[in-house]
Every structure is written in structure tokens, then in C-alpha cells.
């Protein structure tokens, strides 16, 4: 069904996002993975998608809390893959200390990534793909 399509799975270096990227690769979908982690772990995962499923798999790093990062990530992914057909917006973080122990910077980081990164206005330069 998705063979020959191109996908970006944001937040795909672990958990649900990794599972989604794996299933898309299993369906012969070329793609871009994105997220946090140790470079060697990310490369191992990217390489596994590439070789196990015989797809083109790329990793792009972007700090999505920066307003320009999401449109830049999409434009770079579209260029690397030769176009985009599917975007899975799965990025998110959670810090779990008790609220009285949680610094306000944790709250700002959660809001910046979980809410603001998914809503960036046209002035940020979303690519026409």
C-alpha cells in the first residue's frame, strides 16, 4: 500500500515513533527518522532500516523547539527523499519529577516541543512540497 512512498517520522528514535518508522520501512517506504539519542544508537537504527527492509533511510537532527527547525526539517527531508508523501508528527517529551521538584525550564521545554513545534505559522517558511 505504501511501497514507493516517502515518509518522515518525527520523534522516531525510540518508542512508538521507532515502531512506526519500522512498520513504514516494512511496507517498503523510504524515510527520514528524527529524534534524540546517542549518535551510535541512532545510526544503528537507521542502518538497520536501510539494510533489513531495503529502503532508503536517513536521519535528520533538528531541535524542534526552535521555530525555524520544523520547516527546515521538512524541506531537507523532501530534498533527500525526492519528495514527501507522509508526515508522522510523533515528537514529544515528558519530564516526570514531582511538580514541586520540577524546574520551570522543564515546563518550557515540554510546551516548546509538545505544543509549539507542531504549530508554526506560515511566516516560518513552510516548504511547498
Amino acid at each position: 500500500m505504501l511501497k514507493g512512498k516517502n515518509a518522515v517520522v518525527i520523534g522516531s528514535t525510540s518508542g512508538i515513533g521507532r515502531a512506526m518508522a519500522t512498520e513504514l520501512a516494512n511496507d517498503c517506504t523510504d524515510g527520514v527518522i528524527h529524534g534524540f539519542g546517542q549518535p551510535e544508537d541512532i545510526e544503528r537504527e537507521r542502518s538497520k532500516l536501510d539494510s533489513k527492509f531495503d529502503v532508503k533511510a536517513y536521519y535528520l537532527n533538528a531541535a524542534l523547539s526552535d521555530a525555524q527547525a520544523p520547516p527546515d526539517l521538512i524541506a531537507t527531508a523532501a530534498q533527500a527523499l525526492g519528495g514527501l508523501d507522509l508526515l508522522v508528527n510523533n515528537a514529544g517529551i515528558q519530564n516526570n519529577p514531582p511538580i514541586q521538584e520540577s524546574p520551570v525550564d522543564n515546563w518550557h521545554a515540554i510546551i516548546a516541543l509538545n505544543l509549539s513545534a507542531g504549530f508554526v505559522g506560515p511566516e516560518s517558511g513552510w516548504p511547498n512540497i
Side-chain angles (χ1 to χ4, degrees), residues 2-9 18 20-33 43-59 80-81:
L2 295 173
K3 184 176 184 171
K5 301 293 184 183
N6 299 319
V8 175
V9 183
R18 181 187 306 178
M20 287 189 276
T22 301
E23 283 303 311
L24 287 167
N26 187 45
D27 283 345
C28 299
T29 303
D30 293 331
V32 168
I33 61 172
E43 175 52 27
R44 185 173 35 257
E45 187 64 27
R46 188 215 58 78
S47 179
K48 183 172 71 172
L49 293 174
D50 216 33
S51 61
K52 181 176 181 179
F53 300 107
D54 192 30
V55 297
K56 290 184 276 180
Y58 301 92
Y59 169 73
L81 294 167

mmCIF file of all heavy atoms in Angstrom, residues 2-9 18 20-33 43-59 80-81:
data_model
loop_
_atom_site.group_PDB
_atom_site.id
_atom_site.type_symbol
_atom_site.label_atom_id
_atom_site.label_comp_id
_atom_site.label_asym_id
_atom_site.label_seq_id
_atom_site.Cartn_x
_atom_site.Cartn_y
_atom_site.Cartn_z
ATOM 1 N N LEU A 2 1.947 1.262 0.743
ATOM 2 C CA LEU A 2 2.801 2.448 0.815
ATOM 3 C C LEU A 2 4.128 2.268 0.079
ATOM 4 O O LEU A 2 4.988 3.136 0.150
ATOM 5 C CB LEU A 2 3.063 2.813 2.278
ATOM 6 C CG LEU A 2 1.833 3.234 3.075
ATOM 7 C CD1 LEU A 2 2.181 3.417 4.546
ATOM 8 C CD2 LEU A 2 1.226 4.502 2.515
ATOM 9 N N LYS A 3 4.268 1.177 -0.632
ATOM 10 C CA LYS A 3 5.511 0.920 -1.354
ATOM 11 C C LYS A 3 5.807 2.068 -2.324
ATOM 12 O O LYS A 3 4.931 2.524 -3.053
ATOM 13 C CB LYS A 3 5.419 -0.383 -2.133
ATOM 14 C CG LYS A 3 6.718 -0.751 -2.815
ATOM 15 C CD LYS A 3 6.636 -2.097 -3.488
ATOM 16 C CE LYS A 3 7.999 -2.436 -4.052
ATOM 17 N NZ LYS A 3 8.051 -3.799 -4.530
ATOM 18 N N GLY A 4 7.059 2.528 -2.260
ATOM 19 C CA GLY A 4 7.480 3.596 -3.146
ATOM 20 C C GLY A 4 7.152 4.994 -2.638
ATOM 21 O O GLY A 4 7.434 5.973 -3.305
ATOM 22 N N LYS A 5 6.556 5.086 -1.468
ATOM 23 C CA LYS A 5 6.228 6.387 -0.880
ATOM 24 C C LYS A 5 7.393 6.855 -0.008
ATOM 25 O O LYS A 5 8.280 6.092 0.336
ATOM 26 C CB LYS A 5 4.947 6.307 -0.036
ATOM 27 C CG LYS A 5 3.732 5.863 -0.810
ATOM 28 C CD LYS A 5 3.324 6.889 -1.826
ATOM 29 C CE LYS A 5 2.046 6.466 -2.521
ATOM 30 N NZ LYS A 5 1.654 7.380 -3.561
ATOM 31 N N ASN A 6 7.355 8.123 0.365
ATOM 32 C CA ASN A 6 8.383 8.733 1.205
ATOM 33 C C ASN A 6 7.742 9.294 2.461
ATOM 34 O O ASN A 6 6.731 9.991 2.370
ATOM 35 C CB ASN A 6 9.098 9.861 0.457
ATOM 36 C CG ASN A 6 9.795 9.363 -0.787
ATOM 37 O OD1 ASN A 6 10.398 8.305 -0.798
ATOM 38 N ND2 ASN A 6 9.710 10.147 -1.854
ATOM 39 N N ALA A 7 8.356 8.995 3.603
ATOM 40 C CA ALA A 7 7.775 9.408 4.879
ATOM 41 C C ALA A 7 8.819 10.043 5.785
ATOM 42 O O ALA A 7 10.000 9.702 5.728
ATOM 43 C CB ALA A 7 7.158 8.207 5.586
ATOM 44 N N VAL A 8 8.350 10.942 6.631
ATOM 45 C CA VAL A 8 9.147 11.488 7.728
ATOM 46 C C VAL A 8 8.418 11.118 9.010
ATOM 47 O O VAL A 8 7.218 11.374 9.138
ATOM 48 C CB VAL A 8 9.273 13.022 7.658
ATOM 49 C CG1 VAL A 8 10.002 13.558 8.884
ATOM 50 C CG2 VAL A 8 9.982 13.447 6.402
ATOM 51 N N VAL A 9 9.137 10.496 9.928
ATOM 52 C CA VAL A 9 8.569 10.183 11.228
ATOM 53 C C VAL A 9 9.353 10.990 12.258
ATOM 54 O O VAL A 9 10.494 10.669 12.577
ATOM 55 C CB VAL A 9 8.611 8.676 11.547
ATOM 56 C CG1 VAL A 9 7.927 8.408 12.892
ATOM 57 C CG2 VAL A 9 7.950 7.866 10.435
ATOM 58 N N ARG A 18 9.663 4.920 16.784
ATOM 59 C CA ARG A 18 10.543 3.897 16.199
ATOM 60 C C ARG A 18 9.703 2.769 15.609
ATOM 61 O O ARG A 18 10.001 2.285 14.510
ATOM 62 C CB ARG A 18 11.507 3.341 17.233
ATOM 63 C CG ARG A 18 12.443 2.300 16.607
ATOM 64 C CD ARG A 18 13.319 1.588 17.589
ATOM 65 N NE ARG A 18 14.075 2.536 18.384
ATOM 66 C CZ ARG A 18 14.895 2.173 19.356
ATOM 67 N NH1 ARG A 18 15.062 0.900 19.645
ATOM 68 N NH2 ARG A 18 15.549 3.072 20.059
ATOM 69 N N MET A 20 6.663 2.970 14.448
ATOM 70 C CA MET A 20 6.025 3.452 13.223
ATOM 71 C C MET A 20 7.011 3.496 12.062
ATOM 72 O O MET A 20 6.679 3.094 10.941
ATOM 73 C CB MET A 20 5.411 4.837 13.455
ATOM 74 C CG MET A 20 4.163 4.792 14.296
ATOM 75 S SD MET A 20 3.300 6.374 14.367
ATOM 76 C CE MET A 20 4.201 7.172 15.667
ATOM 77 N N ALA A 21 8.229 3.982 12.312
ATOM 78 C CA ALA A 21 9.247 4.027 11.255
ATOM 79 C C ALA A 21 9.571 2.627 10.767
ATOM 80 O O ALA A 21 9.749 2.400 9.562
ATOM 81 C CB ALA A 21 10.501 4.737 11.758
ATOM 82 N N THR A 22 9.628 1.670 11.686
ATOM 83 C CA THR A 22 9.918 0.278 11.317
ATOM 84 C C THR A 22 8.795 -0.296 10.460
ATOM 85 O O THR A 22 9.051 -0.958 9.449
ATOM 86 C CB THR A 22 10.143 -0.570 12.581
ATOM 87 O OG1 THR A 22 11.241 -0.021 13.313
ATOM 88 C CG2 THR A 22 10.442 -2.021 12.231
ATOM 89 N N GLU A 23 7.558 -0.053 10.843
ATOM 90 C CA GLU A 23 6.424 -0.566 10.056
ATOM 91 C C GLU A 23 6.371 0.070 8.672
ATOM 92 O O GLU A 23 6.075 -0.601 7.682
ATOM 93 C CB GLU A 23 5.106 -0.350 10.798
ATOM 94 C CG GLU A 23 4.895 -1.335 11.918
ATOM 95 C CD GLU A 23 4.940 -2.786 11.448
ATOM 96 O OE1 GLU A 23 4.259 -3.134 10.460
ATOM 97 O OE2 GLU A 23 5.667 -3.573 12.068
ATOM 98 N N LEU A 24 6.666 1.357 8.581
ATOM 99 C CA LEU A 24 6.699 2.007 7.269
ATOM 100 C C LEU A 24 7.803 1.415 6.400
ATOM 101 O O LEU A 24 7.597 1.164 5.214
ATOM 102 C CB LEU A 24 6.877 3.516 7.431
ATOM 103 C CG LEU A 24 5.637 4.259 7.933
ATOM 104 C CD1 LEU A 24 5.996 5.671 8.373
ATOM 105 C CD2 LEU A 24 4.558 4.279 6.859
ATOM 106 N N ALA A 25 8.972 1.182 6.984
ATOM 107 C CA ALA A 25 10.063 0.554 6.228
ATOM 108 C C ALA A 25 9.668 -0.855 5.802
ATOM 109 O O ALA A 25 9.970 -1.281 4.681
ATOM 110 C CB ALA A 25 11.339 0.531 7.068
ATOM 111 N N ASN A 26 8.973 -1.576 6.666
ATOM 112 C CA ASN A 26 8.496 -2.917 6.334
ATOM 113 C C ASN A 26 7.535 -2.879 5.151
ATOM 114 O O ASN A 26 7.455 -3.828 4.371
ATOM 115 C CB ASN A 26 7.823 -3.546 7.556
ATOM 116 C CG ASN A 26 7.461 -4.999 7.342
ATOM 117 O OD1 ASN A 26 8.255 -5.776 6.828
ATOM 118 N ND2 ASN A 26 6.262 -5.352 7.739
ATOM 119 N N ASP A 27 6.820 -1.770 4.989
ATOM 120 C CA ASP A 27 5.926 -1.583 3.839
ATOM 121 C C ASP A 27 6.661 -1.000 2.630
ATOM 122 O O ASP A 27 6.026 -0.501 1.704
ATOM 123 C CB ASP A 27 4.769 -0.644 4.214
ATOM 124 C CG ASP A 27 3.700 -1.319 5.039
ATOM 125 O OD1 ASP A 27 3.681 -2.556 5.111
ATOM 126 O OD2 ASP A 27 2.872 -0.589 5.623
ATOM 127 N N CYS A 28 7.994 -1.025 2.664
ATOM 128 C CA CYS A 28 8.837 -0.540 1.568
ATOM 129 C C CYS A 28 8.714 0.965 1.365
ATOM 130 O O CYS A 28 8.731 1.458 0.231
ATOM 131 C CB CYS A 28 8.541 -1.286 0.276
ATOM 132 S SG CYS A 28 8.840 -3.048 0.399
ATOM 133 N N THR A 29 8.576 1.695 2.457
ATOM 134 C CA THR A 29 8.503 3.147 2.404
ATOM 135 C C THR A 29 9.865 3.723 2.764
ATOM 136 O O THR A 29 10.408 3.418 3.815
ATOM 137 C CB THR A 29 7.443 3.662 3.408
ATOM 138 O OG1 THR A 29 6.196 3.056 3.099
ATOM 139 C CG2 THR A 29 7.319 5.165 3.357
ATOM 140 N N ASP A 30 10.437 4.532 1.877
ATOM 141 C CA ASP A 30 11.678 5.234 2.201
ATOM 142 C C ASP A 30 11.360 6.309 3.229
ATOM 143 O O ASP A 30 10.252 6.842 3.253
ATOM 144 C CB ASP A 30 12.272 5.883 0.950
ATOM 145 C CG ASP A 30 12.748 4.857 -0.076
ATOM 146 O OD1 ASP A 30 13.127 3.739 0.325
ATOM 147 O OD2 ASP A 30 12.730 5.187 -1.272
ATOM 148 N N GLY A 31 12.345 6.633 4.076
ATOM 149 C CA GLY A 31 12.001 7.611 5.082
ATOM 150 C C GLY A 31 13.138 8.276 5.803
ATOM 151 O O GLY A 31 14.312 7.934 5.651
ATOM 152 N N VAL A 32 12.727 9.252 6.590
ATOM 153 C CA VAL A 32 13.619 10.008 7.455
ATOM 154 C C VAL A 32 13.180 9.759 8.883
ATOM 155 O O VAL A 32 11.989 9.878 9.204
ATOM 156 C CB VAL A 32 13.551 11.514 7.138
ATOM 157 C CG1 VAL A 32 14.243 12.331 8.222
ATOM 158 C CG2 VAL A 32 14.175 11.796 5.780
ATOM 159 N N ILE A 33 14.148 9.384 9.717
ATOM 160 C CA ILE A 33 13.883 9.311 11.141
ATOM 161 C C ILE A 33 14.475 10.555 11.798
ATOM 162 O O ILE A 33 15.372 11.198 11.254
ATOM 163 C CB ILE A 33 14.422 8.014 11.785
ATOM 164 C CG1 ILE A 33 15.936 7.890 11.639
ATOM 165 C CG2 ILE A 33 13.704 6.799 11.208
ATOM 166 C CD1 ILE A 33 16.547 6.731 12.421
ATOM 167 N N GLU A 43 22.431 5.762 14.509
ATOM 168 C CA GLU A 43 22.999 5.223 13.264
ATOM 169 C C GLU A 43 22.724 3.735 13.133
ATOM 170 O O GLU A 43 22.418 3.243 12.052
ATOM 171 C CB GLU A 43 24.494 5.514 13.177
ATOM 172 C CG GLU A 43 25.181 4.893 11.970
ATOM 173 C CD GLU A 43 24.528 5.201 10.618
ATOM 174 O OE1 GLU A 43 23.863 6.251 10.458
ATOM 175 O OE2 GLU A 43 24.681 4.377 9.696
ATOM 176 N N ARG A 44 22.798 3.007 14.240
ATOM 177 C CA ARG A 44 22.499 1.572 14.209
ATOM 178 C C ARG A 44 21.050 1.354 13.768
ATOM 179 O O ARG A 44 20.757 0.495 12.937
ATOM 180 C CB ARG A 44 22.767 0.953 15.583
ATOM 181 C CG ARG A 44 22.609 -0.540 15.620
ATOM 182 C CD ARG A 44 23.041 -1.207 16.929
ATOM 183 N NE ARG A 44 22.786 -0.443 18.141
ATOM 184 C CZ ARG A 44 23.727 0.227 18.829
ATOM 185 N NH1 ARG A 44 24.978 0.246 18.429
ATOM 186 N NH2 ARG A 44 23.410 0.879 19.923
ATOM 187 N N GLU A 45 20.123 2.153 14.302
ATOM 188 C CA GLU A 45 18.708 2.019 13.936
ATOM 189 C C GLU A 45 18.480 2.403 12.475
ATOM 190 O O GLU A 45 17.766 1.719 11.741
ATOM 191 C CB GLU A 45 17.856 2.898 14.858
ATOM 192 C CG GLU A 45 16.380 2.707 14.690
ATOM 193 C CD GLU A 45 15.893 1.321 15.063
ATOM 194 O OE1 GLU A 45 16.530 0.642 15.897
ATOM 195 O OE2 GLU A 45 14.860 0.901 14.502
ATOM 196 N N ARG A 46 19.076 3.500 12.037
ATOM 197 C CA ARG A 46 18.943 3.943 10.644
ATOM 198 C C ARG A 46 19.479 2.885 9.691
ATOM 199 O O ARG A 46 18.847 2.523 8.708
ATOM 200 C CB ARG A 46 19.670 5.272 10.435
ATOM 201 C CG ARG A 46 19.405 5.884 9.056
ATOM 202 C CD ARG A 46 20.605 6.616 8.507
ATOM 203 N NE ARG A 46 21.787 5.821 8.379
ATOM 204 C CZ ARG A 46 22.035 4.935 7.384
ATOM 205 N NH1 ARG A 46 21.154 4.721 6.440
ATOM 206 N NH2 ARG A 46 23.176 4.260 7.348
ATOM 207 N N SER A 47 20.646 2.365 10.020
ATOM 208 C CA SER A 47 21.286 1.354 9.184
ATOM 209 C C SER A 47 20.456 0.071 9.126
ATOM 210 O O SER A 47 20.351 -0.565 8.082
ATOM 211 C CB SER A 47 22.688 1.070 9.729
ATOM 212 O OG SER A 47 23.321 0.097 8.964
ATOM 213 N N LYS A 48 19.854 -0.288 10.245
ATOM 214 C CA LYS A 48 19.013 -1.486 10.288
ATOM 215 C C LYS A 48 17.799 -1.331 9.371
ATOM 216 O O LYS A 48 17.459 -2.253 8.620
ATOM 217 C CB LYS A 48 18.567 -1.764 11.722
ATOM 218 C CG LYS A 48 17.747 -3.031 11.872
ATOM 219 C CD LYS A 48 17.490 -3.379 13.319
ATOM 220 C CE LYS A 48 16.514 -2.420 13.928
ATOM 221 N NZ LYS A 48 16.078 -2.797 15.278
ATOM 222 N N LEU A 49 17.177 -0.165 9.394
ATOM 223 C CA LEU A 49 16.037 0.075 8.494
ATOM 224 C C LEU A 49 16.472 -0.031 7.039
ATOM 225 O O LEU A 49 15.804 -0.658 6.217
ATOM 226 C CB LEU A 49 15.435 1.455 8.756
ATOM 227 C CG LEU A 49 14.761 1.677 10.097
ATOM 228 C CD1 LEU A 49 14.360 3.144 10.255
ATOM 229 C CD2 LEU A 49 13.566 0.764 10.281
ATOM 230 N N ASP A 50 17.612 0.580 6.751
ATOM 231 C CA ASP A 50 18.173 0.601 5.400
ATOM 232 C C ASP A 50 18.419 -0.807 4.871
ATOM 233 O O ASP A 50 17.995 -1.151 3.770
ATOM 234 C CB ASP A 50 19.487 1.386 5.451
ATOM 235 C CG ASP A 50 19.761 2.222 4.234
ATOM 236 O OD1 ASP A 50 18.811 2.729 3.623
ATOM 237 O OD2 ASP A 50 20.948 2.379 3.912
ATOM 238 N N SER A 51 19.104 -1.612 5.656
ATOM 239 C CA SER A 51 19.522 -2.931 5.170
ATOM 240 C C SER A 51 18.449 -4.003 5.325
ATOM 241 O O SER A 51 18.229 -4.794 4.415
ATOM 242 C CB SER A 51 20.812 -3.365 5.863
ATOM 243 O OG SER A 51 20.617 -3.463 7.255
ATOM 244 N N LYS A 52 17.765 -4.044 6.447
ATOM 245 C CA LYS A 52 16.774 -5.093 6.690
ATOM 246 C C LYS A 52 15.592 -5.003 5.727
ATOM 247 O O LYS A 52 15.068 -6.011 5.272
ATOM 248 C CB LYS A 52 16.280 -5.026 8.131
ATOM 249 C CG LYS A 52 15.272 -6.100 8.478
ATOM 250 C CD LYS A 52 14.880 -6.052 9.937
ATOM 251 C CE LYS A 52 13.880 -7.156 10.247
ATOM 252 N NZ LYS A 52 13.504 -7.134 11.666
ATOM 253 N N PHE A 53 15.175 -3.775 5.414
ATOM 254 C CA PHE A 53 13.977 -3.597 4.601
ATOM 255 C C PHE A 53 14.274 -3.108 3.188
ATOM 256 O O PHE A 53 13.354 -2.878 2.407
ATOM 257 C CB PHE A 53 13.011 -2.635 5.300
ATOM 258 C CG PHE A 53 12.577 -3.124 6.654
ATOM 259 C CD1 PHE A 53 13.059 -2.526 7.805
ATOM 260 C CD2 PHE A 53 11.714 -4.200 6.777
ATOM 261 C CE1 PHE A 53 12.672 -2.971 9.057
ATOM 262 C CE2 PHE A 53 11.321 -4.664 8.025
ATOM 263 C CZ PHE A 53 11.808 -4.041 9.166
ATOM 264 N N ASP A 54 15.548 -2.938 2.864
ATOM 265 C CA ASP A 54 15.972 -2.489 1.540
ATOM 266 C C ASP A 54 15.268 -1.192 1.134
ATOM 267 O O ASP A 54 14.674 -1.093 0.062
ATOM 268 C CB ASP A 54 15.743 -3.587 0.506
ATOM 269 C CG ASP A 54 16.445 -3.274 -0.813
ATOM 270 O OD1 ASP A 54 17.498 -2.597 -0.781
ATOM 271 O OD2 ASP A 54 15.938 -3.687 -1.873
ATOM 272 N N VAL A 55 15.310 -0.216 2.033
ATOM 273 C CA VAL A 55 14.746 1.102 1.769
ATOM 274 C C VAL A 55 15.838 2.145 1.969
ATOM 275 O O VAL A 55 16.896 1.857 2.526
ATOM 276 C CB VAL A 55 13.549 1.422 2.706
ATOM 277 C CG1 VAL A 55 12.405 0.452 2.479
ATOM 278 C CG2 VAL A 55 13.975 1.444 4.163
ATOM 279 N N LYS A 56 15.572 3.359 1.513
ATOM 280 C CA LYS A 56 16.467 4.476 1.814
ATOM 281 C C LYS A 56 16.009 5.055 3.144
ATOM 282 O O LYS A 56 14.859 5.492 3.279
ATOM 283 C CB LYS A 56 16.398 5.550 0.730
ATOM 284 C CG LYS A 56 17.009 5.122 -0.587
ATOM 285 C CD LYS A 56 16.992 6.272 -1.576
ATOM 286 C CE LYS A 56 15.621 6.290 -2.230
ATOM 287 N NZ LYS A 56 15.434 7.338 -3.226
ATOM 288 N N ALA A 57 16.907 5.036 4.117
ATOM 289 C CA ALA A 57 16.585 5.590 5.436
ATOM 290 C C ALA A 57 17.633 6.636 5.787
ATOM 291 O O ALA A 57 18.830 6.395 5.649
ATOM 292 C CB ALA A 57 16.558 4.481 6.479
ATOM 293 N N TYR A 58 17.157 7.775 6.209
ATOM 294 C CA TYR A 58 18.031 8.886 6.580
ATOM 295 C C TYR A 58 17.709 9.307 8.010
ATOM 296 O O TYR A 58 16.592 9.102 8.494
ATOM 297 C CB TYR A 58 17.793 10.097 5.664
ATOM 298 C CG TYR A 58 18.021 9.824 4.213
ATOM 299 C CD1 TYR A 58 16.973 9.422 3.390
ATOM 300 C CD2 TYR A 58 19.285 9.961 3.650
ATOM 301 C CE1 TYR A 58 17.178 9.167 2.044
ATOM 302 C CE2 TYR A 58 19.497 9.712 2.305
ATOM 303 C CZ TYR A 58 18.440 9.319 1.506
ATOM 304 O OH TYR A 58 18.645 9.066 0.184
ATOM 305 N N TYR A 59 18.680 9.945 8.648
ATOM 306 C CA TYR A 59 18.443 10.563 9.948
ATOM 307 C C TYR A 59 18.695 12.052 9.811
ATOM 308 O O TYR A 59 19.714 12.471 9.255
ATOM 309 C CB TYR A 59 19.374 9.992 11.023
ATOM 310 C CG TYR A 59 19.334 10.793 12.301
ATOM 311 C CD1 TYR A 59 18.233 10.729 13.144
ATOM 312 C CD2 TYR A 59 20.371 11.652 12.635
ATOM 313 C CE1 TYR A 59 18.172 11.491 14.304
ATOM 314 C CE2 TYR A 59 20.320 12.414 13.797
ATOM 315 C CZ TYR A 59 19.219 12.327 14.624
ATOM 316 O OH TYR A 59 19.167 13.082 15.763
ATOM 317 N N ALA A 80 16.080 15.213 0.380
ATOM 318 C CA ALA A 80 16.809 13.940 0.493
ATOM 319 C C ALA A 80 16.043 12.793 -0.147
ATOM 320 O O ALA A 80 16.644 11.922 -0.785
ATOM 321 C CB ALA A 80 17.093 13.627 1.962
ATOM 322 N N LEU A 81 14.731 12.782 0.016
ATOM 323 C CA LEU A 81 13.909 11.674 -0.471
ATOM 324 C C LEU A 81 13.359 11.896 -1.876
ATOM 325 O O LEU A 81 12.805 10.981 -2.466
ATOM 326 C CB LEU A 81 12.736 11.438 0.491
ATOM 327 C CG LEU A 81 13.103 10.945 1.886
ATOM 328 C CD1 LEU A 81 11.904 11.063 2.813
ATOM 329 C CD2 LEU A 81 13.621 9.522 1.832
#
